[in-house]
């Protein structure tokens, strides 16, 4: 599926779960994010950040955010949205972000893994970017013939010796600004023994 993300940037935030412009949708995402992120703020890497909506919520919780997106126009919008938060917003490929390894407490990606050609290799690389005790937070789903089933993602993470928790998100219309009937979920992964 080829999407021109630069072209999509102009209207990206019009989707309720992208722009989080509706206070109820924003509050629902903030509540979920709060339950997925560590209690104490740390270094957070948001991959495929789009216009930076989740990065903004994480920064408001005190996390030091580095956000990465492949689309220069998405990055431009994210920089504007995150102005004044101290966040770094970089243009780059989410599968190989332009950051030093082993420095993050959280690697966050929403609706990104499904679009990457070799998700297992990408997950291994993202895993290597985490500090000991860090966590991977992945929000994914299956929309018609597009997406990645939760079982496939948790299976790939199990091969990394990850302990995973999967939360089904489809039933929470507050997150999407409407009822949805497809598979949407979050996987939170930490290293075994962490």
């Amino acid at each position: 599926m080829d999407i021109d993300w630069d072209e999509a940037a102009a209207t990206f935030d019009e989707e309720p779960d992208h722009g989080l412009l509706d206070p109820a949708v924003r509050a629902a995402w903030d509540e979920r994010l709060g339950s997925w992120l560590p209690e104490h703020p740390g270094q957070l890497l948001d991959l495929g950040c789009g216009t930076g909506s989740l990065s903004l919520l994480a920064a408001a919780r005190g996390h030091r955010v580095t956000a990465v997106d492949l689309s220069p126009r998405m990055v431009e919008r994210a920089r504007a949205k995150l102005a004044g938060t101290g966040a770094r917003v970089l243009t780059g490929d989410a599968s190989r972000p332009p950051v030093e390894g082993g420095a993050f407490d959280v690697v966050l990606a929403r609706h990104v893994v499904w679009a990457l050609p070799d998700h297992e290799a990408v997950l291994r690389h993202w895993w290597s970017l985490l500090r000991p005790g860090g966590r991977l937070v992945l929000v994914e789903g299956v929309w018609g013939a597009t997406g990645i089933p939760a079982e496939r993602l948790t299976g790939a993470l199990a091969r990394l010796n990850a302990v995973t928790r999967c939360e089904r998100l489809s039933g929470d219309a507050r997150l999407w600004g409407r009822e949805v009937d497809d598979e949407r979920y979050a996987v939170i992964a930490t290293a075994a023994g962490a």
Side-chain angles (χ1 to χ4, degrees):
M1 177 177 201
D2 286 333
I3 298 173
D4 183 337
W5 294 109
D6 276 333
E7 184 178 308
T11 58
F12 191 76
D13 279 353
E14 292 173 12
E15 285 294 320
D17 61 307
H18 293 171
L20 309 183
L21 302 175
D22 179 317
V25 175
R26 185 173 49 258
W29 277 102
D30 187 48
E31 178 184 313
R32 289 289 181 145
L33 203 58
S35 73
W36 300 332
L37 298 180
E39 183 179 333
H40 300 291
Q43 298 288 340
L44 182 140
L45 178 60
D46 184 0
L47 297 173
C49 69
T51 62
S53 295
L54 291 186
S55 289
L56 186 61
L57 292 178
R61 290 180 166 275
H63 293 276
R64 292 169 306 283
V65 174
T66 300
V68 176
D69 202 277
L70 186 60
S71 161
R73 287 198 179 141
M74 291 284 193
V75 166
E76 180 182 302
R77 290 178 179 274
R79 282 185 180 140
K81 193 178 283 187
L82 292 161
T85 66
R88 288 188 321 148
V89 184
L90 308 171
T91 303
D93 185 344
S95 64
R96 287 284 178 191
V99 297
E100 297 298 319
F104 295 95
D105 300 293
V106 177
V107 172
L108 168 69
R110 178 174 63 166
H111 302 159
V112 175
V113 177
W114 71 270
L116 302 174
D118 185 353
H119 71 271
E120 292 208 23
V122 169
L123 292 173
R124 278 192 304 275
H125 181 64
W126 291 355
W127 197 248
S128 76
L129 298 175
L130 290 170
R131 288 186 171 128
R135 66 183 69 175
L136 202 53
V137 178
L138 307 172
V139 178
E140 291 295 334
V142 178
W143 310 270
T146 303
I148 183 168
E151 298 75 26
R152 206 164 122 208
L153 194 57
T154 56
L157 290 165
R159 289 186 278 286
L160 296 174
N161 201 29
V163 176
T164 60
R165 174 171 54 99
C166 185
E167 288 183 25
R168 301 293 173 177
L169 304 177
S170 299
D172 189 349
R174 299 173 315 138
L175 293 169
W176 317 109
R178 60 187 167 84
E179 295 289 332
V180 297
D181 60 5
D182 46 25
E183 178 185 5
R184 300 181 190 198
Y185 61 88
V187 171
I188 299 86
T190 55

